[in-house]
Amino acid sequence: QVQLVESGGGLVQAGGSLRLSCEAPGRIFRLNAMGWYRQAPGKQRELVAAITSGGSTNYADSVKGRFTISRDNAKNTVYLQMNSLEPEDTAVYYCNTRWLARDYWGQGTQVTVSS
């Protein structure tokens, strides 16, 4: 069983910032890419950002220049720094990794951006 533990969501005004954190088991974290997804009401889950074990990153076009994904291998934790938040960023955010051909998800953390 792979448990991903998320924290850091909340309510923020448009233009504000939040940082999400996700801790994973060390034996998996060190070898795996990690990703952040989000799902807004009535919409499909979408990739927001991902980072490889070597630190290469990619972002959804909608968050480029505003969000930054990073990882701390000493803490087995991946972060998503979200700046210049917009109401359209409102969603449940999920941490993800893939291990032995299976996807694992965090419990989800709500991010709400008010206009």
Side-chain angles (χ1 to χ4, degrees), residues 11 20 22 41 43-44 48 52 62 77 81 88 95 107 112:
L11 172 64
L20 306 183
C22 171
K43 295 187 177 182
Q44 288 190 329
V48 176
T52 67
S62 59
T77 300
Q81 178 66 44
E88 292 75 21
C95 180
Q107 79 277 14
T112 302

Side-chain angles (χ1 to χ4, degrees), residues 17-83:
S17 298
L18 285 172
R19 189 176 81 156
L20 306 183
S21 301
C22 171
E23 185 175 357
R27 71 188 188 282
I28 294 170
F29 184 84
R30 288 186 291 272
L31 299 175
N32 269 23
M34 302 292 297
W36 286 99
Y37 287 71
R38 67 186 180 187
Q39 187 166 18
K43 295 187 177 182
Q44 288 190 329
R45 192 172 295 188
E46 62 174 356
L47 176 67
V48 176
I51 185 166
T52 67
S53 57
S56 297
T57 59
N58 67 282
Y59 298 92
D61 287 343
S62 59
V63 306
K64 282 181 181 177
R66 301 188 298 122
F67 290 12
T68 302
I69 189 170
S70 61
R71 61 192 296 155
D72 185 334
N73 290 336
K75 296 182 179 180
N76 300 324
T77 300
V78 61
Y79 303 98
L80 185 67
Q81 178 66 44
M82 304 185 293
N83 298 329

